Amino acid sequence: MGSRSSILLRDEEIDEIRKETGFSHNQIIRLYHRFNRLDKGNNGFLSREDFLRIPELAINPLGDRIIHAFFGISRDQTLNFKQFVKVLATFRPVQDGSDNRLNSREEKLKFAFKMYDVDGNDKISRDELLLVLQMMVGANISEEQLGCIADRTIQEADGDNDGLISFEEFCGAMDRTDVEQKMSIRFLH
Amino acid sequence: MFSLVRNRKCAPFVLLLLFWFQTSAAESAQNATAGYTLLTEEQHHTDDGGEAHAHHREVPERYPVAQLNWHHVETPYLISLWVLFASYAKIAFHLTDKLAKIFPESCLLILLGLVVGVIIYFAAKDVVGQYTLSSDTFFLFLLPPIVLEAGYFMPNRSFFDNIGTILLYAVIGTLFNCFCIGASLYGIVSLGWVDVEMDLLDCLVFSSLISAVDPVAVLAVFEEVHVNEVLYILVFGESLLNDAVTVVLYSMFKQFGAMGVENIKTVDYVLGLTSFFVISVGGTLIGVVWGLLTAFVTKFTDHVRVIEPLFVFVMSYLSYLTAEVFGFSGIMAIVFCGIIMKKYVEANISQKSHTTIKYFMKMLSSISETIIFMFLGLSAVRDDHVWDIEFIICTLFFCLFFRAVGVILLTALANWFRAVKVNKVEQFIMAYGGLRGAIAFSLVILIEAPTPALEMKKELMVTTTMIVVFFTVFVQGMTIKPLVDKLKVKRSNKHKPTMGEKIFTRLLDHSMAGIEDIIGSHGHNYWRDKYEEMDRKYLQPLLLRELPESKDTQILQVYTNLNIKDAMEYVKSAGSFNIYRGTGSMANFLRRNASQSILGQDSEGSLRTIPHGMSGICLDMQSVGGAGELAAREVDDAELHHLQDMVLSSMHQPSRKGRYRRAKHNMHDNEMGNGENLLHRSVHLHLRHVVKQRRKRAKLAKRTGGNGGNSGPTVVENGVQKLTVPDLQNIEVDGRLKASGGGSFSGGPVEVKVHPPEIQRLDSEGDDEGGITFEARPVHDTFDSLEVPVLSLLLMEKAPLFTISEDETDPLLTASPPPSIHTDGASEMEEDEEDGIEPTAAESWLPWKEYTDQPRVSERAKEETLGIFGIPGEVTITPKECDEGELAGIVRERRNSLQTPAPMLLSRRGSGDSVNAVPKGSNVLRKLLLRRQSETIPPHLYNSLMPPVSPSRTRRFSDVRPYEYHAVPQDDNFGDSPTQTSKNHSPQFPRHHHHHHHHHEHHPHREKDHPDDESTLQAVEEKNNGNIALVPEIVLSSPKSQDDVRIDISDESLEKESSV
């Protein structure tokens, strides 16, 4: 399947993607292989189920959220290769000199923000935060305890006291975190 | 300068030491000639003692009353003296700031060693050879503590994230260096530049020991440099892990040398390579096994807490020794032992043991380091140096050159694999940070030199090693800090993570692992995820006494830590939590204080009887305050009971935020007492606010854009309005309170000290450690000057300004902008005031009256408090909703409490450096104030009062809106004298009255003791000009760097300040 699919990806398409995302030709081919491997139905797009079929992702406590954030761009239930690559481009390491807006700090933070923001209203509510916490921390901790943590987190970040964390507040709270480093993944060349 | 310090501090000591040396030398002449080293004392000690004993046994004529048993104690005595001496030296260095700034400690210690060496050399030449760093001592006693500390406190995350790169540098880099340096040295020897004859193997032996970066030296220098964590771990990790390579190469070449070049076969090289893997992997494995073993043992120590630290030290030391037994890399063993055990050990042991381990480890490593460097210096003073300038200079050059080349080449290779590249500047620092140190020296003196020719060779190597070590430690060690500054190397941004950051980081860990799963590559995220899973499934059940309840202990741990820290800070800044202890009951307390405060309203005498410490109460006693309105006239017993009932009933309310009731979070530490539990549960909400305020401040400082201004400093928490949090750290809040107070606290009854370094830190880094603390103390003996009625009027008028803010959750209170509230609220207030509702004594004086904004007490919590404090205090916070009526009540209470010009209250709020009260005689002012009282400020004026913050300026102390105050730069002893009080009006005020940001320049030398009537009048005039005048400025004394502390405001003031 791999060799066939790489042929299906035309050079112009690759060039276009390359320009847009900053991935190298080889990286795109590699990702395309991966895309096709994930695409069990071989229908040219990935569904959520395709993602859930990845064994590690299925046991990842935040697997759901990752998929959710992944699909955040398209808003529909499928993801074609371009969208797939575009999301992944977010995690390209930030390099000096190259000003690709897809892997900027802001884009990276946006992805993380999307993982919190379930309902997509661009605010993280206490309940949304609590949900994420429950996923990570596990069910043994009482909701009240997690609630305290969530409250504290919101209070830390909440600049306008509305009990919600907006994206700007979120960025502010992550000011001291080396997002560029933490949200970078090495893509094989 | 150095000798000056040394002379002053240490000269007597040196003489004393010398005396002992000579005594001992004279007494044990045979030993002195044998040339023992100071620190290889064991067998020497026993010999010596035995002989001495025998000697004494010969003449047992009479029973000796006392006798000199010098031999008996000689060795430990001398060792102790050296340690003591080294520690004194350390103290002395840090007493001299200038010295410590220029030199790294390691340099100073070497210098000291040199000086002492020279003194000994001239004073007692025959003993000079005894005091050198012996290899055995170094490797068996001095090195392990340092390396253990390094491993135990290793930043694991960055270490393992960068392990590939580190290994690359450590293995390939060291090999590269070794062979290049060795070959080059052989080259110059072949060219005949060197007088001493050396063959290739000699060169390689020497290069193998000189090419390795030394962990001790790196640690000593980089500790003071604070480069970013990745850079640090790359250099430091390399220096630790190259040990295996060094050991293998060194012993291999030495062995080859002993075998003779002609006997070496290919198989020996293969064996050498194999031995590298065996030594490194073996060392690591031994370390891991001992680490796990230690963790396992501590699982069962809960009944013998005292010896918990012992296991950590002894077992890690054993891992080192075990590795050495097999000839493996002891350094790697102990490093990995430390790394592995830490996580589990810390979960098992008690908090106290943890502290003990931490400090004991740091102490051991620090003293080892001190001794090592001192003896390095000491060892350099000797007769047998063989100086061969060409050889030395070439070695130095090759070391630097190949280090640089190696780093550049390997970084190019590493960057190919790394997500985050190592940039040029970092490469330079890596190359430059390749310090050599005591390991090289200890290895070089281990070289056997049976014949004079070999002796010559060895001495040349020793001398060269000395020079290289000194050069790297002195020249590179001293210049690396300025270079790091100059090249703007990314610094470490060390701070305890905030809750949000921690959650975010953990979220990222998971999601990055997830993304790697999606793209199907196995990066370090993948492996970390795998490790965590394995850890959870197998290791934790095996090694931990109590399994963590959750999958993610880190988040809970951070939460616990934050709470503890907040509580500690709070206690530090605000007094103690124990204030109610021993008061018996709340009623008693109220009664006692009420009677005082009633008197206190008109005489300052009783005021002062209220202890300062009272300001420390923060246990949400405002619940009483809520009911306190009832005690309108007088506080008597009956009413107090009633009051209490009210409190209790109010506690029963079902609350939306019942979750606070069990704010108890994961307590890992069993030993943490109930009280402590209670403490941080009870305070945590309150403290969170405090912390938040500071976060906000820090955030605002960073934010360039102006944020509209809808976020007031006051926080409404869950339906109960937090007017202000009565905490010292809430400068902005309190500043505003003061500001609203209309400059009425004049005469400066209280001074508030701001400790500048903390402010600086806070602001410059958005740091979260160490808040601003204030100390308030009365500088005025009388409160006559305080016009209570005037004050109250003023306060009442201004109160709504700061009382209103948006509610987080309650729609009732949501988004009431200050102007509108003011107009409504203020008139309401005025009515109340005209009704003649005087503040009750309790309202005025009881500290917790301040906490009207705090939520209510839950019943259960109250019982718990009773258990601890003997009073129905507050443990958890269950906020209750309140309607506008209540709000008004709270506002009024708040206002009333502000009427109290008690030092205690001011100190609690700690808002200003000094607050000027209205002088008694200023009738004009009073009239004015009264008149102002009846006015309602029209909305447009209010809007002008609250102009949007101009985006260009930084507002460090966040959302202080209608009135701003700023910190005044002062000289060192800020706030110490009444001269540093604020002035009462702003000269440039009219110039930018459109801002209505009242501020001015305060230069310490310009400040007046007390505002005089003239200035008051001026202020009045300004007021009459249509400005909102009489806005006092709150002046915080501050460090010189005003920009950091400044809470500002207008361009002019900024300019002025910067020109100061």
Side-chain angles (χ1 to χ4, degrees):
Chain A
M1 194 206 296
S3 57
R4 190 174 55 87
S5 53
S6 66
I7 296 163
L8 287 176
L9 198 65
R10 282 173 292 130
D11 276 354
E12 308 89 83
E13 281 177 328
I14 294 180
D15 270 357
E16 195 187 320
I17 294 171
R18 195 156 56 95
K19 269 183 203 129
E20 195 182 0
T21 61
F23 280 120
S24 74
H25 189 277
N26 279 347
Q27 283 171 330
I28 295 170
I29 302 267
R30 200 181 287 275
L31 288 174
Y32 194 58
H33 285 302
R34 180 69 186 166
F35 179 82
N36 280 315
R37 208 170 305 138
L38 294 177
D39 180 17
K40 295 286 188 213
N42 210 2
N43 35 17
F45 54 82
L46 297 179
S47 64
R48 284 172 195 260
E49 288 69 36
D50 286 326
F51 280 102
L52 283 171
R53 233 175 267 132
I54 304 170
E56 292 92 351
L57 201 60
I59 57 164
N60 191 312
L62 291 175
D64 270 351
R65 286 317 173 81
I66 297 166
I67 297 168
H68 170 82
F70 232 86
F71 280 86
I73 284 188
S74 64
R75 287 275 174 214
D76 47 9
Q77 294 307 302
T78 59
L79 204 67
N80 64 26
F81 180 61
K82 260 190 202 165
Q83 291 164 326
F84 178 73
V85 176
K86 221 171 146 183
V87 178
L88 288 177
T90 314
F91 302 103
R92 284 183 58 241
V94 182
Q95 249 143 358
D96 307 331
S98 69
D99 50 346
N100 190 311
R101 51 174 193 83
L102 277 181
N103 65 347
S104 66
R105 180 189 174 92
E106 197 187 342
E107 286 298 317
K108 287 180 196 303
L109 280 171
K110 246 181 205 158
F111 185 89
F113 189 78
K114 262 185 246 150
M115 290 186 60
Y116 288 108
D117 186 21
V118 186
D119 57 8
N121 65 349
D122 291 333
K123 301 258 186 198
I124 302 174
S125 71
R126 180 179 183 275
D127 289 337
E128 284 168 338
L129 191 59
L130 200 58
L131 224 61
V132 172
L133 273 173
Q134 271 166 347
M135 288 174 167
M136 287 197 290
V137 177
N140 293 337
I141 302 297
S142 73
E143 193 174 320
E144 291 171 15
Q145 275 173 289
L146 291 182
C148 291
I149 298 180
D151 285 337
R152 173 160 191 144
T153 311
I154 289 180
Q155 209 179 40
E156 276 172 5
D158 193 7
D160 53 8
N161 289 326
D162 60 356
L164 300 166
I165 301 179
S166 67
F167 182 63
E168 285 71 33
E169 288 165 349
F170 180 71
C171 290
M174 298 311 147
D175 233 16
R176 295 184 300 181
T177 312
D178 194 352
V179 177
E180 289 93 335
Q181 188 197 329
K182 288 205 163 95
M183 292 190 74
S184 291
I185 284 183
R186 188 175 66 92
F187 290 91
L188 292 171
H189 294 273
Chain B
M1 186 188 288
F2 172 78
S3 61
L4 196 127
V5 175
R6 192 193 49 74
N7 283 339
R8 200 190 322 140
K9 289 276 162 194
C10 317
F13 200 77
V14 172
L15 292 176
L16 202 67
L17 270 178
L18 287 177
F19 172 72
W20 261 305
F21 296 154
Q22 290 197 311
T23 322
S24 71
E27 280 189 319
S28 54
Q30 75 278 23
N31 283 324
T33 47
Y36 59 91
T37 56
L38 170 72
L39 293 170
T40 50
E41 72 286 343
E42 253 69 21
Q43 85 271 29
H44 154 60
H45 170 62
T46 46
D47 291 356
D48 218 27
E51 280 168 36
H53 199 60
H55 181 71
H56 281 296
R57 206 179 287 155
E58 282 172 17
V59 278
E61 279 181 17
R62 294 283 176 276
Y63 181 77
V65 176
Q67 53 186 329
L68 201 62
N69 275 332
W70 171 244
H71 286 292
H72 187 57
V73 296
E74 181 184 354
T75 312
Y77 205 106
L78 284 179
I79 293 172
S80 308
L81 280 179
W82 272 113
V83 171
L84 187 70
F85 180 45
S87 311
Y88 280 157
K90 219 169 170 144
I91 297 176
F93 295 145
H94 289 282
L95 286 178
T96 56
D97 284 347
K98 278 185 200 161
L99 218 56
K101 251 179 214 160
I102 306 168
F103 295 90
E105 205 179 79
S106 46
C107 296
L108 292 173
L109 289 169
I110 288 181
L111 276 179
L112 178 70
L114 279 172
V115 171
V116 175
V118 169
I119 291 173
I120 295 178
Y121 183 82
F122 287 112
K125 206 168 178 179
D126 48 334
V127 296
V128 77
Q130 299 169 21
Y131 302 102
T132 57
L133 192 62
S134 103
S135 292
D136 272 354
T137 316
F138 176 75
F139 282 116
L140 291 184
F141 303 110
L142 294 177
L143 189 56
I146 297 176
V147 190
L148 174 64
E149 195 234 336
Y152 197 77
F153 297 107
M154 176 78 80
N156 287 350
R157 179 68 189 269
S158 24
F159 181 72
F160 285 110
D161 279 359
N162 296 294
I163 188 85
T165 316
I166 292 172
L167 280 175
L168 189 70
Y169 289 124
V171 179
I172 311 291
T174 311
L175 280 174
F176 172 84
N177 267 299
C178 173
F179 284 107
C180 287
I181 294 174
S184 310
L185 284 178
Y186 185 63
I188 63 156
V189 171
S190 318
L191 284 175
W193 291 10
V194 182
D195 303 333
V196 183
E197 202 173 302
M198 293 172 89
D199 58 22
L200 182 60
L201 273 180
D202 293 328
C203 291
L204 282 174
V205 169
F206 179 62
S207 70
S208 72
L209 60 90
I210 203 74
S211 59
V213 177
D214 185 80
V216 184
V218 166
L219 201 62
V221 168
F222 273 69
E223 245 173 15
E224 299 173 25
V225 178
H226 306 298
V227 292
N228 65 70
E229 206 169 47
V230 173
L231 183 52
Y232 169 78
I233 205 71
L234 286 182
V235 180
F236 183 55
E238 178 201 341
S239 70
L240 284 175
L241 298 190
N242 66 19
D243 179 61
V245 183
T246 313
V247 169
V248 172
L249 287 177
Y250 176 73
S251 50
M252 190 167 83
F253 290 135
K254 233 167 76 168
Q255 193 69 34
F256 285 179
M259 282 158 60
V261 191
E262 60 282 354
N263 298 326
I264 302 168
K265 294 179 183 151
T266 328
V267 66
D268 291 316
Y269 295 107
V270 177
L271 288 177
L273 191 69
T274 322
S275 119
F276 163 71
F277 286 107
V278 171
I279 283 177
S280 52
V281 175
T284 309
L285 272 183
I286 285 178
V288 170
V289 168
W290 276 102
L292 293 178
L293 222 63
T294 316
F296 187 68
V297 169
T298 53
K299 192 177 174 180
F300 306 101
T301 51
D302 48 340
H303 298 298
V304 279
R305 292 281 194 208
V306 213
I307 56 169
E308 271 173 347
L310 192 76
F311 290 116
V312 171
F313 289 105
V314 170
M315 293 181 81
S316 48
Y317 188 44
L318 275 175
S319 78
Y320 182 87
L321 294 179
T322 315
E324 291 287 308
V325 166
F326 296 106
F328 297 160
S329 165
I331 292 184
M332 287 181 79
I334 201 169
V335 164
F336 278 98
C337 183
I339 290 177
I340 294 286
M341 76 160 79
K342 186 185 185 204
K343 183 179 167 192
Y344 307 105
V345 165
E346 288 201 340
N348 283 337
I349 62 174
S350 72
Q351 186 66 36
K352 280 173 191 162
S353 301
H354 173 64
T355 312
T356 311
I357 290 173
K358 185 176 162 187
Y359 283 97
F360 200 70
M361 211 175 258
K362 295 233 180 245
M363 187 191 76
L364 277 184
S365 94
S366 164
I367 202 66
S368 290
E369 199 184 287
T370 309
I371 292 176
I372 287 172
F373 283 116
M374 225 171 69
F375 271 81
L376 262 183
L378 205 58
S379 312
V381 184
R382 48 194 276 158
D383 279 332
D384 340 324
H385 280 305
V386 175
W387 294 92
D388 189 317
I389 301 298
E390 287 92 350
F391 187 75
I392 290 170
I393 291 191
C394 285
T395 310
L396 201 55
F397 172 75
F398 291 142
C399 280
L400 295 176
F401 177 72
F402 288 116
R403 170 80 187 162
V405 172
V407 165
I408 289 168
L409 288 180
L410 292 174
T411 313
L413 192 61
N415 276 347
W416 181 262
F417 297 103
R418 289 177 64 86
V420 183
K421 314 291 185 209
V422 181
N423 63 35
K424 289 252 154 41
V425 173
E426 287 171 335
Q427 287 177 39
F428 174 74
I429 296 297
M430 281 192 68
Y432 204 73
L435 308 178
R436 314 304 208 266
I439 292 185
F441 179 75
S442 305
L443 286 175
V444 79
I445 55 177
L446 269 185
I447 295 177
E448 290 125 28
T451 64
L454 290 175
E455 182 77 27
M456 183 82 169
K457 244 192 291 191
K458 181 189 169 179
E459 289 309 326
L460 175 62
M461 289 184 193
V462 172
T463 309
T464 313
T465 308
M466 279 281 175
I467 298 296
V468 172
V469 169
F470 285 4
F471 180 85
T472 54
V473 171
F474 276 89
V475 178
Q476 288 170 241
M478 272 163 60
T479 48
I480 196 161
K481 205 170 183 180
L483 275 174
V484 163
D485 288 337
K486 193 130 197 167
L487 296 172
K488 297 191 177 60
V489 178
K490 207 161 96 191
R491 295 306 189 92
S492 69
N493 185 14
K494 270 213 173 131
H495 62 275
K496 296 257 161 62
T498 62
M499 207 57 243
E501 282 171 345
K502 190 68 210 178
I503 294 174
F504 177 71
T505 313
R506 294 297 299 159
L507 177 101
L508 284 190
D509 288 350
H510 290 304
S511 39
M512 288 307 106
I515 299 290
E516 284 192 352
D517 296 335
I518 289 174
I519 62 168
S521 76
H522 291 176
H524 62 252
N525 289 305
Y526 171 82
W527 288 112
R528 188 181 51 241
D529 218 41
K530 280 273 171 237
Y531 162 73
E532 279 179 8
E533 199 191 319
M534 188 192 77
D535 178 50
R536 218 169 27 242
K537 272 192 185 149
Y538 307 108
L539 291 179
Q540 287 186 359
L542 184 70
L543 300 173
L544 295 187
R545 189 183 309 137
E546 286 167 3
L547 270 185
E549 291 172 59
S550 82
K551 284 192 281 180
D552 203 316
T553 46
Q554 292 185 30
I555 289 177
L556 296 168
Q557 190 62 52
V558 167
Y559 183 64
T560 311
N561 291 346
L562 284 172
N563 275 344
I564 292 174
K565 198 178 58 149
D566 291 348
M568 299 285 279
E569 273 177 23
Y570 191 85
V571 173
K572 246 188 265 165
S573 61
S576 80
F577 288 97
N578 300 338
I579 199 69
Y580 291 116
R581 217 169 263 176
T583 47
S585 72
M586 180 64 123
N588 279 343
F589 183 81
L590 286 176
R591 201 179 307 135
R592 206 182 67 209
N593 287 290
S595 54
Q596 282 174 356
S597 52
I598 290 164
L599 292 169
Q601 280 219 301
D602 20 33
S603 92
E604 77 284 352
S606 57
L607 255 185
R608 335 208 85 239
T609 61
I610 296 179
H612 257 238
M614 240 174 238
S615 54
I617 300 154
C618 78
L619 292 173
D620 303 316
M621 299 301 288
Q622 85 296 330
S623 50
V624 182
E629 289 169 67
L630 295 170
R633 286 154 303 278
E634 207 177 343
V635 186
D636 63 35
D637 245 19
E639 275 204 13
L640 270 168
H641 286 304
H642 178 55
L643 179 150
Q644 274 185 309
D645 287 343
M646 289 292 292
V647 174
L648 298 193
S649 59
S650 73
M651 288 167 189
H652 280 297
Q653 287 190 357
S655 82
R656 280 181 300 143
K657 298 251 174 156
R659 58 181 177 272
Y660 287 132
R661 209 171 299 150
R662 265 181 285 154
K664 182 183 176 202
H665 33 269
N666 204 15
M667 303 287 299
H668 285 288
D669 193 353
N670 304 329
E671 287 201 343
M672 192 167 282
N674 211 4
E676 258 169 291
N677 255 326
L678 193 72
L679 178 136
H680 59 92
R681 263 187 292 153
S682 64
V683 225
H684 98 261
L685 240 199
H686 169 75
L687 292 172
R688 268 185 0 189
H689 176 84
V690 174
V691 169
K692 183 187 172 187
Q693 288 290 336
R694 283 195 286 147
R695 298 274 142 72
K696 266 205 258 172
R697 239 177 276 148
K699 206 167 62 190
L700 268 162
K702 284 199 181 147
R703 212 180 277 169
T704 44
N707 63 337
N710 51 343
S711 59
T714 58
V715 170
V716 177
E717 173 84 25
N718 309 318
V720 171
Q721 194 144 24
K722 285 199 170 181
L723 300 171
T724 63
V725 168
D727 189 281
L728 297 179
Q729 286 149 351
N730 291 318
I731 310 181
E732 64 276 36
V733 176
D734 301 317
R736 202 144 104 200
L737 285 178
K738 291 289 158 39
S740 343
S744 38
F745 298 107
S746 84
V750 165
E751 275 187 26
V752 180
K753 269 209 244 177
V754 182
H755 296 298
E758 282 166 358
I759 293 189
Q760 232 165 354
R761 210 183 316 135
L762 180 91
D763 285 323
S764 57
E765 303 181 9
D767 204 348
D768 51 358
E769 47 178 275
I772 301 166
T773 55
F774 299 86
E775 282 170 26
R777 56 201 178 84
V779 292
H780 237 242
D781 265 1
T782 65
F783 282 86
D784 289 348
S785 60
L786 292 165
E787 298 284 343
V788 174
V790 172
L791 275 173
S792 65
L793 290 178
L794 261 178
L795 290 167
M796 181 172 68
E797 178 187 288
K798 296 287 171 57
L801 275 181
F802 56 81
T803 56
I804 303 309
S805 75
E806 291 175 13
D807 188 2
E808 278 176 17
T809 50
D810 195 337
L812 253 183
L813 295 173
T814 304
S816 321
S820 62
I821 292 291
H822 177 264
T823 41
D824 306 348
S827 53
E828 209 179 301
M829 294 305 123
E830 282 161 22
E831 278 169 31
D832 286 347
E833 186 67 22
E834 277 152 23
D835 285 345
I837 296 180
E838 289 289 328
T840 63
E843 279 171 326
S844 303
W845 292 111
L846 295 179
W848 56 78
K849 299 300 292 178
E850 293 253 303
Y851 301 80
T852 50
D853 44 346
Q854 299 281 345
R856 309 288 149 161
V857 185
S858 80
E859 180 70 359
R860 201 175 66 92
K862 191 190 58 207
E863 284 163 16
E864 281 177 25
T865 327
L866 273 166
I868 297 294
F869 297 112
I871 47 128
E874 162 77 329
V875 176
T876 57
I877 296 159
T878 53
K880 115 186 172 157
E881 303 184 34
C882 66
D883 55 27
E884 275 176 356
E886 268 182 85
L887 179 62
I890 289 165
V891 168
R892 190 171 55 240
E893 251 179 69
R894 179 64 186 155
R895 193 183 63 237
N896 288 339
S897 69
L898 277 173
Q899 291 174 356
T900 310
M904 163 185 91
L905 291 176
L906 291 174
S907 74
R908 163 117 37 82
R909 277 180 241 116
S911 50
D913 174 27
S914 59
V915 183
N916 293 338
V918 180
K920 198 178 181 185
S922 69
N923 287 322
V924 187
L925 178 60
R926 198 182 310 164
K927 257 186 249 158
L928 178 77
L929 295 175
L930 286 164
R931 197 176 68 209
R932 286 270 292 120
Q933 220 269 291
S934 58
E935 290 171 8
T936 306
I937 300 180
H940 70 270
L941 210 54
Y942 257 95
N943 291 335
S944 68
L945 276 172
M946 280 162 284
V949 186
S950 116
S952 64
R953 60 187 64 119
T954 52
R955 290 168 51 102
R956 301 295 160 100
F957 284 150
S958 85
D959 346 30
V960 182
R961 209 125 298 101
Y963 302 104
E964 307 238 351
Y965 49 91
H966 61 266
V968 173
Q970 278 186 341
D971 287 319
D972 300 323
N973 48 351
F974 37 89
D976 268 349
S977 75
T979 53
Q980 288 156 347
T981 54
S982 66
K983 286 194 306 177
N984 207 16
H985 88 284
S986 152
Q988 70 267 51
F989 182 73
R991 259 185 285 153
H992 48 266
H993 61 269
H994 53 281
H995 277 182
H996 294 284
H997 273 294
H998 198 88
H999 69 280
H1000 27 175
E1001 286 316 302
H1002 284 279
H1003 302 287
H1005 53 274
R1006 275 216 253 136
E1007 284 171 11
K1008 301 171 184 177
D1009 275 6
H1010 298 291
D1012 50 21
D1013 276 353
E1014 194 182 304
S1015 67
T1016 316
L1017 276 169
Q1018 253 178 298
V1020 170
E1021 275 160 27
E1022 278 175 15
K1023 151 71 174 85
N1024 290 337
N1025 284 339
N1027 295 324
I1028 305 296
L1030 293 170
V1031 183
E1033 49 294 326
I1034 294 309
V1035 181
L1036 300 175
S1037 53
S1038 77
K1040 277 262 170 160
S1041 54
Q1042 310 89 349
D1043 276 354
D1044 284 338
V1045 195
R1046 195 153 174 128
I1047 310 139
D1048 189 330
I1049 321 172
S1050 87
D1051 295 317
E1052 285 120 308
S1053 64
L1054 275 176
E1055 281 159 24
K1056 286 215 169 177
E1057 290 226 0
S1058 55
S1059 67
V1060 168

